[in-house]
Amino acid sequence: MAGMMGTAAISASRLVSSHSSKTSSFFLQPSPGRKFYGGIAVPSKKGRSQLQVPISSVATTPTQQEVQKLASSKESQRPVYPFAAIVGQDEMKLCLLLNVIDPKIGGVMIMGDRGTGKSTTVRSLVDLLPEIQVVAGDPFNSDPEDAEVQGPDVREKIMKDEQLPVVFTKINMVDLPLGATEDRVCGTIDIEKALTEGVKAFEPGLLAKANRGILYVDEVNLLDDHLVDVLLDSAASGWNTVEREGISISHPARFILIGSGNPEEGELRPQLLDRFGMHAQVGTVKDAELRVKIVDERARFDRNPKEFRESYLAEQEKLQQQISSARSCLSSVTLDHDLRVKISKVCAELNVDGLRGDIVSNRAARALAALKGRDKVTAEDIATVIPNCLRHRLRKDPLESIDSGLLVIEKFYEVFT
């Protein structure tokens, strides 16, 4: 018995000593007068010198080669199905591309049957996302030039005329799990730092990570009400305010909200539905030849993902260039006054509440013209996007059997002809 007690005591002493040694290398001493909006902890390995450095110098500026190396390592770990390899579902793909070209459209809601490739298509968008300028080491992906999407730490540095290290990185896509807690979504107090250093530090959540990126919610119609409220608040203001245990902080949370779901599993709250800029309806492919092609392509991808991705590399690069070109020329695309009047007339005659329908229709038509390489919007562009912009904004009539998208098309041709 005494031997067992001695062994337990030795094991406990080793555990305590190893924990204390890890703690000394894991938590870094803060520089004086610096606020914390998210700690960065890097455990040191054996055989390396343990340096105590200020927290401000931990977030070093990665080189372009390091960024590319990180991207390639991620790709090798989890291969993503190529966007160009998606067969059919043109409406869904167009809505996603338009939101990448102009993030101010406000996201897209994808509703349709199960097993129709909704999640696969959204996640395949990652490869096509363009690069943006961000402040290195900033947890909010702050833009060094736009104050509207800058975190509190970056704004403080700018006021002090400090130089900001800037890197180029791809637009981020963040998955919001259905079982996520409110603290994980909004952010909360950093318990480890509070216990070890006695500092009230803010640990950013998923909304901070999604700033200037994409927030994807699969099965969004099954999302808990309290998380829906959080999303509504952030989507409306573009800011996330956190009040936790003596911490009060606001940070930018401007993201493209993408949701997918099956209407048979439950309806979406109208307040949240209205926050989505566009609505794509996805149906099961009926053509037998097309179904066989989809099955064969998927089997080829599962057999050898790397080879499959390489076979679509040229198409992916072409699509990337098209998106990049469309983003750069978007500001020069014009929409005639009479076409804008007709868009608003369609919205008014359909009894669309508010003006979001008008704004989104204008933006989507401009983005489509830019995608096609034109500097002027045509009536055909408007006809393509207006059902997706207004379909989910119409008041539902329980006695109406016709699809709301067809109602929008009918009203469009009535006004425009």
Side-chain angles (χ1 to χ4, degrees), residues 81 85 294-309 311-312:
Y81 198 84
I294 295 170
V295 172
D296 290 346
E297 292 284 272
R298 184 69 212 190
R300 202 156 65 89
F301 174 76
D302 292 338
R303 214 166 29 243
N304 192 335
K306 187 178 179 182
E307 183 182 319
F308 184 81
R309 284 173 58 83
S311 66
Y312 280 94

Side-chain angles (χ1 to χ4, degrees), residues 187-205:
T188 185
I189 190 171
D190 191 336
I191 301 298
E192 289 181 85
K193 197 168 291 297
L195 293 175
T196 56
E197 300 179 8
V199 176
K200 287 181 180 178
F202 176 68
E203 185 177 348

